[in-house]
Amino acid sequence: MKLRPLPRSFFSRDPRRVAHELLGKLLIRNRGKRVLAGRIVEAEAYLGESDPAAHAASGMTERNRVLFGPPGHAYVYFIYGQYFCLNVSCQPEGEAGCVLFRALEPIAGLKEMVRARGLRASDGEASRKKLTTGPSRLCQAMGITRARDNGKDLTSPRSGLWIADDGFRRRRITRTPRVGIKKAERLRYVIEGNVFVSGR
DNA sequence: TTATAGATTGCCT
DNA sequence: GGCAATCTATAAT
């Protein structure tokens, strides 16, 4: 399997375009000799300061500064007192915008993911499906935290967290409203029929 | 199968 | 002080 990192130019575009084209790509975590990988099956676009639901809505703060930096970098935020969510910055430097990773299909490092999620190998299919289905679940499975990963360059394998094209060609893509957002724009992108897409 | 409550921190008004 | 781009367990149907 040949893995090619996505170039920075891929992310220097409108988040809607990036979210759509990210489906089917791989999110890869290298931890020492171990490799964790999942295929992106669900993502949401968040626009810049014009998007009231985006963290960038009211300008740059200490928390969201990555969103205004160069494209292709990890924006990890802490939510509900106990969870993390992973985004990748989009648009040229100076302009905000990002894509939220909402669900992966586990590809490599399943045993590690099971352990990181606090499950047991014997837990069965129902819980196996919940391994990386949901923005905070996938962060748990891949060991993504704000302290460790916020600001990392996702276009470089050397950062230990990166995005690759392995030649996979996704099938049909559906658009729906974003999860937990009142304004009902269809900025959520999912691979149609994929079992690992999150609920709602 | 769906509905609801509770967890628990830090960001922003 | 209010509440969030969530998840889990438990209860009700």
Side-chain angles (χ1 to χ4, degrees):
Chain A
M1 177 164 61
K2 185 162 187 197
L3 298 179
R4 189 174 59 81
L6 295 185
R8 195 165 316 286
S9 57
F10 181 96
F11 300 99
S12 190
R13 300 180 293 170
D14 187 293
R16 287 167 286 208
R17 186 92 187 274
V18 176
H20 187 275
E21 293 187 20
L22 269 179
L23 296 185
K25 303 296 189 291
L26 294 180
L27 178 65
I28 301 177
R29 163 70 105 191
N30 302 93
R31 297 214 298 185
K33 289 193 74 172
R34 297 209 177 272
V35 180
L36 306 184
R39 194 173 305 287
I40 301 163
V41 299
E42 176 181 350
E44 281 177 359
Y46 286 85
L47 313 184
E49 303 184 55
S50 62
D51 182 355
H55 285 184
S58 39
M60 185 166 73
T61 66
E62 183 54 36
R63 170 167 83 148
N64 67 19
R65 60 165 60 255
V66 176
L67 296 178
F68 294 82
H73 288 257
Y75 169 55
V76 182
Y77 66 87
F78 187 62
I79 189 72
Y80 297 118
Q82 48 197 322
Y83 298 113
F84 294 100
C85 293
L86 172 68
N87 303 253
V88 59
S89 61
C90 299
Q91 303 284 32
E93 181 160 9
E95 198 177 333
C98 65
V99 170
L100 168 70
F101 295 85
R102 287 201 53 91
L104 306 175
E105 175 178 343
I107 298 292
L110 284 272
K111 272 173 78 174
E112 291 237 315
M113 292 186 190
V114 167
R115 192 165 59 226
R117 292 268 295 116
L119 305 173
R120 302 222 136 242
S122 58
D123 269 343
E125 187 140 346
S127 58
R128 177 137 298 208
K129 232 194 297 191
K130 297 188 203 159
L131 211 47
T132 50
T133 291
S136 298
R137 288 182 184 150
L138 72 88
C139 284
Q140 268 182 17
M142 302 197 69
I144 294 166
T145 66
R146 178 171 149 89
R148 188 147 63 201
D149 299 304
N150 191 49
K152 273 193 177 158
D153 183 0
L154 299 183
T155 68
S156 167
R158 283 174 321 189
S159 70
L161 186 64
W162 55 294
I163 301 169
D165 186 348
D166 68 340
F168 176 85
R169 289 290 157 247
R170 64 204 185 281
R171 288 216 189 77
R172 255 193 126 62
I173 289 175
T174 306
R175 278 193 312 157
T176 79
R178 292 178 293 189
V179 174
I181 304 294
K182 287 160 194 165
K183 200 160 185 241
E185 284 174 287
R186 294 191 301 158
L187 296 178
R188 173 174 177 256
Y189 299 77
V190 305
I191 294 184
E192 204 171 284
N194 188 286
V195 185
F196 293 93
V197 171
S198 78
R200 205 284 337 226

